Amino acid sequence: MCGIIGIVGRAPVQARLIDSLKRLEYRGYDSAGVAGLVGGRIERRRAAGKIRALEDVLAASPLEATVGVGHTRWATHGAPSERNAHPHRAGRVTLVHNGIIENFAELKAALAAEGRVFESDTDTEVIAHLFDSELATGLAPLAAFKATLDRLTGAYALAALIEGEDGLILGARRGSPLVVGYGDGEMFLGSDALAVGPFTNRICYLEEGDYVAIRAGEAQIFDAGQRLANRPVRLVSAAAALVEKGEYRHFMEKEIHEQPDACQHTLSAYIDPVSGLATAPNGLDLAAFDRIQIVACGTASYAGAIARYQFERLAGLPCDVETASEFRYREPALSSKTLAIAVSQSGETADTLAALRWCKAADLTTAALVNVHESTMAREADVLLPTHAGPEIGVASTKAFTSQLAALTALAVAAAAARGRIDAAEAARLSGLLREVPRLIAQSTRVEAEMRALAPELAKARDVLYLGRGEMFPLALEGALKLKEISYIHAEGYAAGELKHGPIALIDAATPVIVIAPSGPLFEKTMSNMSEVAARGGPIILITDAAGAALAPAGAKVIIGPTCDPLLAPLVYAPPIQLLAYYVAVQKGADVDQPRNLAKSVTVE
Ligand code: G6P
């Protein structure tokens, strides 16, 4: 997913475009560019790589514009290079784009047949040519823009400048979000609230199919049917608007330490302040369903996979969890009383959104468990199940994950009570446990120094295995994902009992095995699997509690986390595995917050 900023300013915009792009860099960072209207002409500067490279270009050749657009890219069509970096231009038009144009090959062929020459491999340049060709027919800018939009199939958020139209930026949204920011005699466009956060806290979210003309002090918004639309302007909190690393070296480190607060804020939406009992927010009646279907991608899908154990064990509610990209392309057989829950930090992930829409079309009740409450999923689902993690900038998800877990665990308790599976006393006991989560998570981050100490050795590994049983199995998958995405070490998570059915062949002295096993009903079984590893010379790192540590096999390195009820163990044992991945990545000198090839949210299939 790319980042977009547009500013119709009263003063030069270069520094502000760059400031905004830096805040958006988490969305994509393989190349960046800016363009602005200077004396009736459009000038452009672009660079491959991070925003730093663009700053070097601008230092040598500043952009003296008061109206401009900027973009940070995550490549879809065309390799990351300056030539493919946005803004793209054709004739009078220069524009930036987030999304994918599905009919770009066909449009490109038609435009090429008219003699238009393309300088990049991107789908975006096709939009610029199309728009320029509509303008060339004599249409006014807004009409030409709308005619262009009508010919596009796929997803887009756009911000466009037109030569000869000083003081104007056109924007449009379909499939990818776009916000309008209202400043003091100035106007902004951004791909999210963070983009315009440093300049204004008054923003308005465009609806699907909307397009907009912004000029100094005004925004004219039109809906897909070309009618003037009145979209509400909201005040966003300063915290959401301005995100800084503070005392931390990386956003990921900061976000790991924000987890007690993130979970506390999230749980406050799921615990009734008067009764103190876990409860589903926004009127969701959990007794009305006979099944839960969770759809999600990446880390969010592991939160769902953990919740499955809890919904089934506590509430006796059958629960399926499926990777959204698979779910959307098969024909799942679901009962009409299925509650479909899309779990997503961003609320914009293309596959999760498509799966949610599939469920809606199948007449299921849909819920969006999302961190961005104005996101497309939040708006399209029947029920919003919020997480309150605050903006998550590190590409590797941490506090969003534990917030999802906190919300889902509370929902499982609420479902157990609503379905009569537990009595009032047990509901009160389990709800009481939930209130301990922030304290226990704070306690579990205290293993930080030990994780840092393990990093130099682990950083030498080529392969690492993660093992867990029960809810610790999806947590093992998440641990492996964290390590591979930020340190580039090959890592796999396995169900501990599955080890002997294949993965054990991988065990040797150079393959560390990380076992996540706080004491509990399954601990002894996992111990046996650890012995199988130890017998084959595999180095073991056991992450457990004090009781588990007492039973650890000789030679294992033992990390002791807090003692907690098994219900909370996935939440409490998430920070240690995040810290381990973090310090290994730091040890390797990897780009922790912006790992290669990844993007924070993937709004393409
Ligand atoms: C990307 C991110 C992951 C994230 C996944 C789902 O792959 O790199 O960290 O878990 O998308 O994102 P979502 O916003 O739907 O939770």
Side-chain angles (χ1 to χ4, degrees):
M1 158 160 114
C2 310
I4 290 178
I5 175 71
I7 305 177
V8 176
R10 295 193 298 183
V13 291
Q14 173 179 311
R16 289 186 286 170
L17 290 175
I18 292 296
D19 181 14
S20 178
L21 289 182
K22 282 184 176 163
R23 290 166 197 277
L24 289 175
E25 206 171 17
Y26 74 101
R27 295 168 69 104
Y29 34 83
D30 60 46
S31 54
V34 292
L37 280 153
V38 181
R41 294 192 52 76
I42 297 174
E43 287 188 20
R44 164 175 80 160
R45 313 276 185 271
R46 300 179 298 170
K50 302 273 179 93
I51 309 291
R52 281 193 301 277
L54 178 63
E55 282 185 290
D56 292 343
V57 171
L58 285 164
S61 172
L63 186 74
E64 314 280 356
T66 55
V67 175
V69 295
H71 187 268
T72 176
R73 177 170 187 249
W74 185 70
T76 54
H77 287 292
S81 61
E82 185 183 334
R83 197 170 66 86
N84 286 328
H86 299 219
H88 286 285
R89 72 176 166 207
R92 293 173 64 200
V93 173
T94 297
L95 55 78
V96 295
H97 167 220
N98 174 25
I100 275 199
I101 302 305
E102 287 161 15
N103 59 339
F104 95 104
E106 163 195 333
L107 292 170
K108 190 170 182 175
L111 289 159
E114 289 169 17
R116 286 186 171 262
V117 179
F118 293 84
E119 54 178 44
S120 79
D121 309 317
T122 65
D123 51 345
T124 305
E125 193 188 359
V126 173
I127 312 176
H129 275 284
L130 204 56
F131 188 8
D132 185 57
S133 71
E134 294 290 353
L135 283 170
T137 66
L139 285 176
L142 261 173
F145 192 47
K146 175 64 175 152
T148 305
L149 301 178
D150 286 345
R151 291 177 64 187
L152 302 177
T153 310
Y156 53 75
L158 293 169
L161 301 171
I162 306 166
E163 224 155 58
E165 297 288 338
D166 288 10
L168 172 70
I169 302 179
L170 297 178
R173 175 221 159 121
R174 192 202 291 160
S176 301
L178 194 67
V179 306
V180 178
Y182 293 76
D184 185 11
E186 301 190 309
M187 293 298 296
F188 308 91
L189 283 180
S191 43
D192 61 27
L194 287 177
V196 301
F199 321 126
T200 178
N201 64 348
R202 289 194 301 137
I203 64 169
C204 139
Y205 291 83
L206 295 186
E207 299 278 330
E208 279 294 273
D210 282 358
Y211 58 106
V212 60
I214 63 165
R215 299 182 177 84
E218 66 154 349
Q220 270 187 308
I221 302 173
F222 300 88
D223 66 15
Q226 304 187 47
R227 289 170 295 262
L228 261 178
N230 201 356
R231 306 287 178 224
V233 178
R234 302 158 200 263
L235 289 183
V236 293
S237 71
L242 283 172
V243 185
E244 308 284 352
K245 269 185 274 202
E247 71 203 82
Y248 295 99
R249 204 164 139 194
H250 297 102
F251 278 110
M252 182 179 178
E253 185 190 12
K254 173 173 177 254
E255 288 160 2
I256 287 173
H257 288 283
E258 283 173 347
Q259 290 180 107
D261 280 350
C263 288
Q264 176 145 30
H265 290 151
T266 299
L267 283 167
S268 67
Y270 294 81
I271 296 179
D272 185 286
V274 179
S275 67
L277 296 176
T279 173
N282 298 324
L284 180 65
D285 177 11
L286 287 165
F289 306 100
D290 64 10
R291 185 167 211 96
I292 290 184
Q293 174 68 58
I294 295 176
V295 286
C297 296
T299 291
S301 75
Y302 297 139
I306 290 169
R308 174 172 160 244
Y309 290 82
Q310 299 167 335
F311 278 118
E312 300 209 337
R313 190 182 57 237
L314 286 178
L317 194 51
C319 177
D320 285 316
V321 183
E322 191 162 355
T323 305
S325 56
E326 287 299 315
F327 177 89
R328 63 179 292 197
Y329 290 118
R330 63 185 193 91
E331 288 171 29
L334 299 171
S335 77
S336 59
K337 287 169 80 180
T338 299
L339 169 65
I341 308 179
V343 182
S344 171
Q345 189 284 126
S346 62
E348 302 292 348
T349 301
D351 286 317
T352 310
L353 179 59
L356 177 76
R357 286 179 175 158
W358 189 95
C359 293
K360 251 195 119 158
D363 267 343
L364 304 182
T365 302
T366 55
L369 200 151
V370 293
N371 197 38
V372 181
H373 307 154
E374 303 289 348
S375 60
T376 311
M377 285 181 219
R379 285 188 286 160
E380 293 195 9
D382 300 314
V383 184
L384 169 64
L385 298 173
T387 55
H388 292 280
E392 190 180 65
I393 304 298
V395 165
S397 184
T398 52
K399 63 175 181 169
F401 173 67
T402 42
S403 297
Q404 287 158 357
L405 277 179
L408 287 163
T409 308
L411 283 176
V413 174
R419 291 165 59 81
R421 294 278 298 206
I422 53 174
D423 61 19
E426 181 64 355
R429 187 185 75 84
L430 294 175
S431 303
L433 287 177
L434 291 172
R435 289 195 293 276
E436 292 177 20
V437 166
R439 174 182 63 79
L440 287 165
I441 289 194
Q443 212 177 318
S444 79
T445 56
R446 291 193 200 129
V447 299
E448 185 158 9
E450 289 158 271
M451 292 310 187
R452 193 189 301 124
L454 288 175
E457 200 51 37
L458 213 58
K460 293 185 204 145
R462 209 189 58 169
D463 307 287
V464 176
L465 299 185
Y466 284 73
L467 300 182
R469 252 178 208 274
E471 286 99 318
M472 295 301 131
F473 165 43
L475 193 62
L477 296 173
E478 168 62 5
L481 179 67
K482 284 282 92 70
L483 189 70
K484 70 183 128 190
E485 66 185 345
I486 60 171
S487 75
Y488 317 139
I489 294 175
H490 170 245
E492 297 297 338
Y494 286 102
E498 190 64 9
L499 182 74
K500 53 192 171 295
H501 300 295
I504 200 162
L506 299 172
I507 305 290
D508 61 18
T511 308
V513 180
I514 296 168
V515 185
I516 314 168
S519 62
L522 302 175
F523 183 76
E524 278 181 19
K525 301 273 178 218
T526 310
M527 273 288 290
S528 315
N529 305 128
M530 263 188 290
S531 307
E532 291 156 15
V533 173
R536 285 155 185 87
I540 298 173
I541 297 170
L542 170 63
I543 304 176
T544 185
D545 53 16
L551 304 169
K557 289 193 175 121
V558 184
I559 307 294
I560 304 178
T563 300
C564 65
D565 188 279
L567 177 70
L568 307 184
L571 275 157
V572 175
Y573 282 82
I577 59 159
Q578 297 163 348
L579 285 164
L580 187 60
Y582 172 73
Y583 280 109
V584 173
V586 169
Q587 174 75 28
K588 294 192 77 176
D591 193 341
V592 172
D593 285 332
Q594 295 170 352
R596 70 184 180 208
N597 303 342
L598 296 180
K600 182 70 186 154
S601 169
V602 181
T603 51
V604 295
E605 283 181 39

